[in-house]
Amino acid sequence: MSYVGVVGPGQGATAELVQLAVEVGRLLARQGFVVVTGGLGGVMAGAARGCSETGGTSIGLLPGDDRATANPHLTLTIPTGMGEMRNALLVRSSDAIIAVGSSWGTLSEIALARRTGVPVVLVEADHLLTLEDETDGAPSLVLADGPEQAVEQVCALLRPERSSAPAADPSGSRGRMVDPWVLGADGSRGGWVGALLPISGTGEVRLVSAPDIRTLVDRATQQATLAAVGIDTPIGLPETGPRRADQLARQRLGHKASSVFNTPVRDALSAETYAEARAISVERTGGTSLSAQSYGLRRAILDVDGFVRSGTRLRVVEVHPELSFARMAGEPLPTKKRQVEGAVERLGVLRASGITVPSSVDLEGRDVHDLLDAAAVAWSAARVARGEADRIPDPPERFGDGLDAAIWV
């Protein structure tokens, strides 16, 4: 069960805003969400009223100590005695926020949500999109044109596999896509290249790049609300021995098995020199050394590991592009991705799957394979977001870091 906060003006709310909040409350209750509000009047009372009329559950976090100050539509009232500081409790209690209109209190709740990674959907608050000039890695503010679309966007964010959100309207959100998209990320010279793709898994990708994975996600969320992030880097690092995900991926790829390298043990990645890393690998695995290629990916692996373990609310999954291309084509591709014919073949597979890349992309460019890999990773990320992807292995392994160690395709 998910909790959705509804915030907006109290005493200063117009009759129109209150009615919008009533409809938001009704729609959230129909979807089975628990509605969380500040417990008082205006937008807060409207959302609780709509929820009550539909038989849903609503919670009011009151600023004072007296339950008598609560609006009469709430299922539960919680006197916090914290004044405006209870806004932080509301945000922390919610999986997503819908802001109907704005006030100074609403602004504080949106700011807290942005800082803590809680997605925010705006209704009748277009001007708040200017707050997006400074991002912190949280999901972007999303503009909705009314209660129905607002609740659809919440469903898309919290239940992407069941989402039926309408088509995007970029002009209504200053160039940001309203419907959920996914991000596919692949390591490249100097950092990361990313491919943004609609959750449908088809369409033209939008390209982003950054020196580190957090900045890449930041730049992607400036353009779209992300339902999932796929990354071509191991997630879930072993203490000893190989991962089953790597072994099973090699089995599936047959003659392309060499494209899947053994994930280094965590302690080897902490080594400052390759010689030290090799010694640690031999000790931890009972005799298996570490390839220079694997150690060369140390910075990228630790970059992703730090991001995933930082508490991000985004769904981040591991994807291997050669597995994605093999699933799209029906078999592993025979060509090498770093050769021109390999790039042409992979571009053709993407197009056959309904994915196009910008016409400016140079197929003979030095790093074009990274871009095409990112697009393939995005294709699998979209399958994850829609609930259609397979994971290898299933169930996944878990090591000391507690992360699911599995490759999605």
Side-chain angles (χ1 to χ4, degrees):
M1 181 178 295
S2 297
Y3 292 63
V4 178
V6 181
V7 302
Q11 292 181 344
T14 64
E16 179 184 5
L17 286 179
V18 172
Q19 190 54 45
L20 289 172
V22 170
E23 188 61 20
V24 166
R26 286 175 182 157
L27 294 170
L28 288 173
R30 288 174 188 167
Q31 291 290 337
F33 293 114
V34 174
V35 175
V36 185
T37 74
L40 302 180
V43 164
M44 297 170 278
R49 176 183 142 200
C51 183
S52 174
E53 291 175 352
T54 316
T57 299
S58 63
I59 300 172
L61 302 175
L62 302 174
D65 300 319
D66 187 359
R67 293 183 189 275
T69 61
N71 70 70
H73 310 293
L74 293 161
T75 308
L76 300 169
T77 57
I78 302 176
T80 68
M82 297 178 65
E84 295 302 326
M85 297 299 292
R86 69 58 156 101
N87 292 0
L89 290 180
L90 189 153
V91 171
R92 280 301 198 180
S93 300
S94 302
D95 299 299
I97 298 287
I98 296 179
V100 182
S102 65
S103 66
W104 286 116
T106 309
L107 288 174
S108 72
E109 288 157 330
I110 290 173
L112 288 166
R114 295 288 290 121
R115 285 298 184 187
T116 55
V118 178
V120 179
V121 180
L122 306 176
V123 179
E124 293 297 316
D126 307 34
H127 58 287
L128 297 184
L129 288 172
T130 59
L131 297 176
E132 288 291 78
D133 290 340
E134 180 180 351
T135 60
D136 56 9
S140 296
L141 299 177
V142 178
L143 180 64
D145 62 9
E148 184 174 354
Q149 190 179 75
V151 175
E152 286 175 338
Q153 296 302 331
V154 166
C155 289
L157 289 162
L158 302 183
R159 305 167 178 169
E161 73 282 358
R162 294 161 55 184
S163 172
S164 58
D169 180 11
S171 62
S173 57
R174 298 170 65 239
R176 180 181 297 106
M177 290 77 75
V178 175
D179 282 358
W181 283 44
V182 297
L183 174 67
D186 189 77
S188 65
R189 285 187 302 163
W192 297 88
V193 61
L196 279 163
L197 185 68
I199 195 173
S200 64
T202 59
E204 182 173 276
V205 299
R206 290 193 178 189
L207 303 178
V208 290
S209 61
D212 59 81
I213 197 66
R214 184 178 296 278
T215 303
L216 186 80
V217 173
D218 286 351
R219 292 174 179 175
T221 55
Q222 289 176 1
Q223 299 188 46
T225 298
L226 299 180
V229 177
I231 304 179
D232 177 21
T233 296
I235 296 175
L237 305 179
E239 287 83 29
T240 60
R243 301 191 316 166
R244 290 191 61 223
D246 303 333
Q247 295 171 326
L248 295 174
R250 279 193 288 270
Q251 290 175 15
R252 290 198 177 197
L253 286 174
H255 68 276
K256 298 302 288 290
S258 61
S259 67
V260 183
F261 63 87
N262 280 325
T263 300
V265 296
R266 181 174 289 280
D267 286 349
L269 292 171
S270 301
E272 294 297 332
T273 67
Y274 177 43
E276 182 185 356
R278 289 183 63 188
I280 292 173
S281 181
V282 169
E283 177 186 352
R284 295 287 191 274
T285 63
T288 302
S289 185
L290 180 69
S291 70
Q293 179 190 20
S294 295
Y295 184 71
L297 296 172
R298 168 177 176 260
R299 291 185 182 278
I301 296 173
L302 292 179
D303 186 16
V304 172
D305 182 65
F307 176 69
V308 173
R309 299 172 73 191
S310 68
T312 177
R313 285 175 174 259
L314 290 171
R315 187 174 189 185
V316 183
V317 298
E318 178 183 346
V319 179
H320 194 289
E322 286 301 315
L323 281 174
S324 300
F325 279 121
R327 174 60 69 90
M328 282 185 263
E331 61 182 355
L333 301 185
T335 56
K336 296 180 179 180
K337 67 179 184 179
R338 293 180 182 273
Q339 297 178 348
V340 174
E341 56 267 30
V344 171
E345 181 179 38
R346 283 158 178 75
L347 182 62
V349 171
L350 289 170
R351 286 175 173 168
S353 299
I355 300 172
T356 58
V357 300
S359 57
S360 59
V361 170
D362 180 8
L363 291 182
E364 297 185 11
R366 178 175 175 181
D367 299 323
V368 67
H369 60 277
D370 294 329
L371 183 159
L372 298 177
D373 279 354
V377 172
W379 178 83
S380 286
R383 285 170 52 81
V384 170
R386 299 195 307 270
E388 300 172 1
D390 301 324
R391 62 181 175 182
I392 309 167
D394 191 8
E397 285 184 292
R398 281 197 175 179
F399 306 109
D401 53 25
L403 301 174
D404 287 351
I407 300 173
W408 292 80
V409 63

